[in-house]
Amino acid sequence: MRYVDEFRDHALAKRLAAIIAAEVDPERDYRLMEFCGGHTHAIFRYGVQQLMPPRLRFVHGPGCPVCVLPMARIDQAIALTERHGVTLCTYGDLMRVPGGDRRTLFQARAEGADVRMVYSTQDALRIAREQPGREVVFFAIGFETTTPPTAVALEQARAEGLTNFSVFCNHVLTPPALAAILADGARIDAILGPSHVSTLIGTAPYAFVPEQHRLPLVIAGFEPLDVMQSTLMLVRQINADTARVENQYRRAVSEDGNRKAQALMARVFRVRERFAWRGLGEIPESALELAPEFAAFDAERRFPVACTPAREPRGCECPAILRGEKRPTECRLFGTGCTPAHPLGACMVSSEGACAAYWSYGRTRDRAAAG
């Protein structure tokens, strides 16, 4: 397939692997954090880690929006359906994420709650139009990439006078999360920057990484050769003792990003004062809420529900995995008490979660490497 196959070329991958191996200093370690869950899955699906020299290791970051959502927000969504009788619409990944009492949205639906899986915000709008007597709440989640569609839906609802539609907003921001990880003393040498998020926000918001933390950052595409070329770019910066933002994904990412989408987001949303992240704690100015002009469509204002912090299941290392401190196979529940069929943590549920990537592609590889 044109524009895909050339980024998965086996011969080019071998040549890049040989160049990286030649340029890596055998006397030092290279710990490269891939922030985005899409990169994690590409690394494991295509065996990129196995093509790297022994001293170069990828460290998994928190770039999975389902994984970083606190369990209390799942509990709050379930409470919206049970206490206020709303129709809750959301994406498939969220349906299986356990809340604080281990209940999921799937279980709530089985017990009678009106929870519906949708593929887009437009599906939720359609349900609200077709059932004007029902209060329809869209459970919005995601980094900057998925925020514009929510903004479009809100502007449509306001224009149509669709008063039975509202949004439970859980959109989060990438740069503050990255800043929090680095401020916490993450043991990494460089960063593979997000792909899709960067198409929207551009490269400029990452300038603080080299300026404040003296770490190289390369915006990397999702294909295996993208990841490998970006890795080589980071290795060269590390070897040269330089730190700057580079853009490998130039076919999609610019310095300024998508200004039209940014303007849309600015009209509809405001930055929250604080927001709790799973594994990272409360981070100032790291998430979005609806602007005052859209208060009538804010589910948290229309249907208030107390949000009580929840504890992680005993033995679950999801928070440490999200911070890049542990690998999934270092969790004693991985593959035993926690599997895709019966997940305990969001990292095993989401299609972008590190535990799901290890389960699907990396179980035997990682154990062999550890042995």
Side-chain angles (χ1 to χ4, degrees), residues 71-91:
M71 290 184 289
R73 300 295 278 187
I74 299 292
D75 296 336
Q76 194 170 352
I78 293 174
L80 284 173
T81 67
E82 295 179 338
R83 299 181 196 175
H84 296 281
V86 307
T87 296
L88 187 77
C89 300
T90 192
Y91 300 127

Side-chain angles (χ1 to χ4, degrees), residues 77-329:
I78 293 174
L80 284 173
T81 67
E82 295 179 338
R83 299 181 196 175
H84 296 281
V86 307
T87 296
L88 187 77
C89 300
T90 192
Y91 300 127
D93 272 3
L94 275 179
M95 298 286 288
R96 299 177 58 243
V97 177
D101 60 358
R102 316 312 311 144
R103 291 178 72 207
T104 66
L105 289 168
F106 262 133
Q107 290 171 315
R109 185 171 73 174
E111 294 165 5
D114 190 358
V115 180
R116 308 189 193 187
M117 185 174 69
V118 296
Y119 293 98
S120 74
T121 56
Q122 296 302 308
D123 290 340
L125 279 177
R126 175 182 51 78
I127 293 169
R129 294 188 193 103
E130 293 173 353
Q131 302 186 31
R134 296 286 301 172
E135 290 289 348
V136 178
V137 176
F138 177 65
F139 191 165
I141 187 173
F143 287 95
E144 293 90 341
T145 316
T146 57
T147 305
T150 304
V152 169
L154 284 162
E155 288 202 329
Q156 285 182 271
R158 185 172 68 170
E160 295 176 24
L162 207 58
T163 58
N164 66 322
F165 176 80
S166 57
V167 169
F168 178 42
C169 186
N170 295 271
H171 287 300
V172 291
L173 303 174
T174 301
L178 188 54
I181 290 175
L182 296 178
D184 199 38
R187 293 178 54 248
I188 57 177
D189 300 298
I191 297 168
L192 288 166
S195 306
H196 291 161
V197 164
S198 301
T199 64
L200 195 142
I201 68 172
T203 63
Y206 304 108
F208 74 93
V209 175
E211 291 173 1
Q212 298 178 21
H213 301 280
R214 289 290 302 163
L215 288 177
L217 185 147
V218 172
I219 307 296
F222 275 129
E223 295 297 330
L225 291 186
D226 287 324
V227 174
M228 295 182 70
Q229 183 182 24
S230 300
T231 297
L232 178 59
M233 293 165 72
L234 288 174
V235 166
R236 286 174 172 170
Q237 283 203 54
I238 293 169
N239 289 347
D241 195 25
T242 60
R244 63 183 181 275
V245 175
E246 289 188 280
N247 182 13
Q248 182 273 339
Y249 199 32
R250 288 178 293 175
R251 63 185 185 274
V253 175
S254 65
E255 182 178 2
D256 296 327
N258 187 329
R259 290 186 172 180
K260 186 174 182 179
Q262 293 168 18
L264 171 64
M265 291 165 56
R267 287 198 306 269
V268 178
F269 297 103
R270 295 292 181 270
V271 176
R272 290 180 186 262
E273 184 178 343
R274 308 186 70 80
F275 192 76
W277 292 56
R278 190 174 195 171
L280 304 181
E282 283 202 349
I283 305 176
E285 300 182 340
S286 63
L288 299 175
E289 61 185 359
L290 272 61
E293 297 87 336
F294 290 85
F297 301 95
D298 190 338
E300 290 186 80
R301 299 186 189 190
R302 293 179 61 179
F303 311 108
V305 174
C307 186
T308 304
R311 291 185 177 181
E312 295 287 339
R314 182 176 297 178
C316 178
E317 298 289 358
C318 198
I321 291 167
L322 290 169
R323 294 191 299 269
E325 296 172 358
K326 290 190 175 182
R327 285 178 284 184
T329 46

